Amino acid sequence: QGLTFHLFLVIMTAALKVEVEQLVAKIDDKKEGQKALENLTEIIRSKGRAAEPFLVASLPKILEALGDKTKQVRDAALAASQAMVETISPYALDMIMPALLAGLSMKAKPPQKEAMLRLITSIAGKAPKTIGYELVNFAMPVAEFTCDIKKEIKAAALECMTAICGCTGNKDLEPFLPAVV
């Protein structure tokens, strides 16, 4: 009976992996991209950690959609990425770091930059110790946007910088953080 249950879990996991991969493949499709992202959001919310390994691998594609030309696709990508940040294990941050940093590049589109800054702020609130370990990697890219010409990006960058600087774990620095930011 234990073997049957194990086999059942393997089949269900394989089916979930295929489902996520099929949805991710549709993100670039102009007609199906929004629906694919909405379905991914539903999987994230309903399956949670069971789908995490497959979703972590798909995060770069989801974050790339934050720069899409259509607002509906951007909104769907934002909902999916926010749901993922709420669900993801703090230990998975190492795996998603390249995707987060790519979204903070100067080549990223303004909506993508703003969304990335807000996602990092959310992660800092959820997993401050994890962000504290990655602070050295986040500090410069975020700091560059604190003087951005777009006020939305600048505001998001200041909020993000405040959040990540609060993750140092050094209580002696807290009174000086506003001056540092």
Side-chain angles (χ1 to χ4, degrees), residues 11-65:
I11 292 169
M12 292 304 295
T13 303
L16 182 58
K17 179 181 188 248
V18 169
E19 183 180 6
V20 168
E21 288 173 348
Q22 288 174 344
L23 290 171
V24 170
K26 294 178 183 176
I27 290 175
D28 288 335
D29 188 304
K30 299 218 181 288
K31 293 181 181 179
E32 296 185 45
Q34 177 185 350
K35 187 67 175 164
L37 287 162
E38 289 168 352
N39 289 340
L40 281 169
T41 303
E42 186 56 38
I43 288 173
I44 294 166
R45 291 194 174 126
S46 64
K47 304 292 184 193
R49 292 275 170 88
E52 185 174 323
F54 318 119
L55 294 166
V56 165
S58 68
L59 187 62
K61 197 74 170 169
I62 294 170
L63 295 178
E64 189 179 301

Side-chain angles (χ1 to χ4, degrees), residues 2-147:
L3 183 61
T4 305
F5 181 71
H6 179 70
L7 186 58
F8 172 76
L9 286 177
V10 169
I11 292 169
M12 292 304 295
T13 303
L16 182 58
K17 179 181 188 248
V18 169
E19 183 180 6
V20 168
E21 288 173 348
Q22 288 174 344
L23 290 171
V24 170
K26 294 178 183 176
I27 290 175
D28 288 335
D29 188 304
K30 299 218 181 288
K31 293 181 181 179
E32 296 185 45
Q34 177 185 350
K35 187 67 175 164
L37 287 162
E38 289 168 352
N39 289 340
L40 281 169
T41 303
E42 186 56 38
I43 288 173
I44 294 166
R45 291 194 174 126
S46 64
K47 304 292 184 193
R49 292 275 170 88
E52 185 174 323
F54 318 119
L55 294 166
V56 165
S58 68
L59 187 62
K61 197 74 170 169
I62 294 170
L63 295 178
E64 189 179 301
L66 290 169
D68 196 85
K69 293 178 182 178
T70 60
K71 184 176 179 352
Q72 293 86 355
V73 172
R74 283 195 314 261
D75 290 346
L78 184 60
S81 56
Q82 286 173 333
M84 191 147 175
V85 164
E86 293 167 9
T87 318
I88 196 169
S89 165
Y91 301 107
L93 186 63
D94 283 346
M95 296 180 74
I96 64 170
M97 278 296 292
L100 294 173
L101 292 173
L104 291 177
S105 74
M106 290 297 177
K107 294 179 181 179
K109 296 174 182 163
Q112 188 178 14
K113 292 175 189 176
E114 182 181 357
M116 294 304 300
L117 291 164
R118 298 209 184 280
L119 286 174
I120 294 167
T121 302
S122 295
I123 296 169
K126 180 184 179 236
K129 284 186 178 180
T130 306
I131 291 290
Y133 291 123
E134 294 292 343
L135 188 58
V136 68
N137 296 316
F138 281 126
M140 281 310 298
V142 173
E144 289 176 5
F145 293 118
T146 59
C147 299

